[in-house]
Amino acid sequence: MTPKNKNTDVEDDGDIYDKLEKSFKKRGLGRGLNALFEDEEGVYPQTGGEGHTPGAQRRAISIAQIEPGAYQPRTIFNDERISELADSMKEHGVLQPLLVRQKPNSDHMYEIVAGERRWRAAQKAGIHEIPVIIRSFTDKETLEIGLIENLQRENLNPLDEARALEQLMNEFSYTQKETAESIGKSRPYVANMVRLTSLPKEVQKYLESGELSTGHARALVTAKDPVSLAKQIVNSGLSVRDTEKLSSQGRPSRSKKKPVFQKGVNTLALEKSVSDKLGLNFTIDMKDASAGKVTITFRNLDQLDDVVHRLTKIPH
């Protein structure tokens, strides 16, 4: 993956568009991403110019004439990343144009097909005009381009990704295999992700906020009580492996395993007696009926020296 360039407003776009181009060609859509942007070399000038292929217009338009796309799968935008991009734009300008289409029944309004992050950052940077490439797309093409572009990006919310994959299959009658090929993933990956949309709304909120990982969410799909288990994961910090075990067994989770051998009165009395004599905290932990460990806790090197002297009887 091409690393993020902090000096431009392009975040991994070259690599993303390469993937999209291969995806579009593989599925026989009749054009690649280069054709969509009307620039074979992948360099997108800020404004229009001579020599571009008919069917696309490059120009700078007022940012007030642009609206978010109706088929944008991303519902959560990282404010910190948007601010970083805005700071870059203040210094360097908007280096890559947005891909837009004209809104139906409107002569001066445009809808974003790709590039909403740049649009949001440009607004934050106080930029009044922004470069765009205007193309005519059907609703189906707009949806597909928006979904695939976002799915190829990093850090797309797992639930947004799941919904987008489901939408690809529902809107275009894609099979799981075709969907997987379009985003460069395996068929089982697609199947597991789509199942996340079946989780209860309360669990989905944890997933959207980042309190649950994708691995946790996948395990919760088959849980008897996913809401309760999700709350225990968040509160107790359960690992994915622990979640999978609890989900398959259908047992309530425990934040910590209780020791098999509980300390009796005699053990507690012995701990207190030794602690008093040492002047340090002394504990006994049994693994089974005949084995375990003792722990002596010290707070500084003087206490350590003292306990070593007592145990070894080495004179000062």
Side-chain angles (χ1 to χ4, degrees):
M1 178 72 70
T2 304
K4 177 181 176 182
N5 185 345
K6 295 184 179 179
N7 296 321
T8 72
D9 65 316
V10 181
E11 181 187 4
D12 297 340
D13 281 336
D15 186 48
I16 292 164
Y17 292 140
D18 286 344
K19 292 180 180 179
L20 286 171
E21 167 117 20
K22 293 176 182 177
S23 174
F24 272 52
K25 288 181 177 180
K26 187 171 184 178
R27 292 179 293 109
L29 297 185
R31 70 177 72 138
L33 251 283
N34 289 334
L36 293 178
F37 282 89
E38 298 299 339
D39 193 323
E40 292 183 355
E41 295 181 0
V43 178
Y44 312 125
Q46 293 188 16
T47 59
E50 297 180 357
H52 59 276
T53 306
Q57 302 177 48
R58 287 184 180 85
R59 52 191 279 199
I61 63 176
S62 169
I63 200 167
Q65 294 177 255
I66 303 173
E67 295 181 354
Y71 300 112
Q72 166 65 264
R74 188 184 295 271
T75 60
I76 298 176
F77 290 83
N78 187 304
D79 290 337
E80 183 178 351
R81 298 286 291 277
I82 295 294
S83 295
E84 290 176 357
L85 192 54
D87 291 340
S88 176
M89 287 181 173
K90 289 178 183 178
E91 182 177 357
H92 302 285
V94 184
L95 302 182
Q96 182 177 349
L98 279 65
L99 181 62
V100 302
R101 67 169 182 167
Q102 191 165 354
K103 288 196 66 177
N105 304 318
S106 176
D107 295 330
H108 64 282
M109 293 300 295
Y110 300 88
E111 180 183 36
I112 299 172
V113 177
E116 185 170 341
R117 287 183 67 258
R118 275 164 284 166
W119 176 75
R120 287 173 177 263
Q123 286 185 310
K124 198 173 187 70
I127 296 173
H128 301 294
E129 283 194 339
I130 191 167
V132 299
I133 296 174
I134 305 171
R135 285 298 304 260
S136 296
F137 292 112
T138 64
D139 288 346
K140 178 179 178 180
E141 290 172 325
T142 301
L143 172 60
E144 189 170 32
I145 293 168
L147 289 175
I148 295 177
E149 185 208 20
N150 276 279
L151 289 171
Q152 294 288 4
R153 289 187 179 275
E154 294 183 350
N155 300 320
L156 182 63
N157 180 282
L159 196 56
D160 284 345
E161 180 176 351
R163 290 166 178 159
L165 292 170
E166 186 175 57
Q167 193 172 11
L168 272 175
M169 292 186 285
N170 291 340
E171 292 287 339
F172 307 129
S173 300
Y174 276 21
T175 64
Q176 288 185 354
K177 181 180 179 182
E178 290 169 337
T179 303
E181 289 176 349
S182 71
I183 62 169
K185 302 288 187 180
S186 67
R187 190 200 62 75
Y189 175 89
V190 170
N192 287 328
M193 288 301 295
V194 170
R195 294 174 73 190
L196 300 185
T197 61
S198 66
L199 288 168
K201 295 295 183 182
E202 192 169 354
V203 178
Q204 291 185 14
K205 289 180 181 179
Y206 286 132
L207 186 57
E208 287 178 320
S209 67
E211 294 176 275
L212 289 180
S213 70
T214 304
H216 286 116
R218 288 175 179 172
L220 288 171
V221 170
T222 57
K224 184 177 181 180
D225 187 354
V227 175
S228 295
L229 185 51
K231 290 179 179 179
Q232 292 171 3
I233 293 169
V234 173
N235 294 332
S236 303
L238 296 179
S239 68
V240 173
R241 179 171 294 182
D242 288 339
T243 303
E244 290 172 343
K245 290 179 180 178
L246 293 170
S247 177
S248 63
Q249 295 171 359
R251 293 187 285 105
S253 68
R254 296 175 296 185
S255 58
K256 293 183 179 180
K257 294 182 178 179
K258 294 182 180 180
V260 176
F261 292 87
Q262 299 291 340
K263 293 182 182 180
V265 176
N266 292 334
T267 301
L268 293 173
L270 179 59
E271 286 181 337
K272 185 177 185 306
S273 176
V274 176
S275 295
D276 290 343
K277 289 182 179 180
L278 289 176
L280 301 171
N281 188 40
F282 175 85
T283 58
I284 302 171
D285 295 300
M286 301 297 294
K287 292 183 179 179
D288 52 40
S290 59
K293 66 178 180 179
V294 295
T295 303
I296 300 173
T297 305
F298 59 90
R299 293 185 297 275
N300 52 57
L301 293 179
D302 288 338
Q303 289 183 340
L304 174 61
D305 182 66
D306 182 61
V307 75
V308 170
H309 168 69
R310 292 178 183 226
L311 293 174
T312 60
K313 296 183 180 180
I314 299 176
H316 286 295

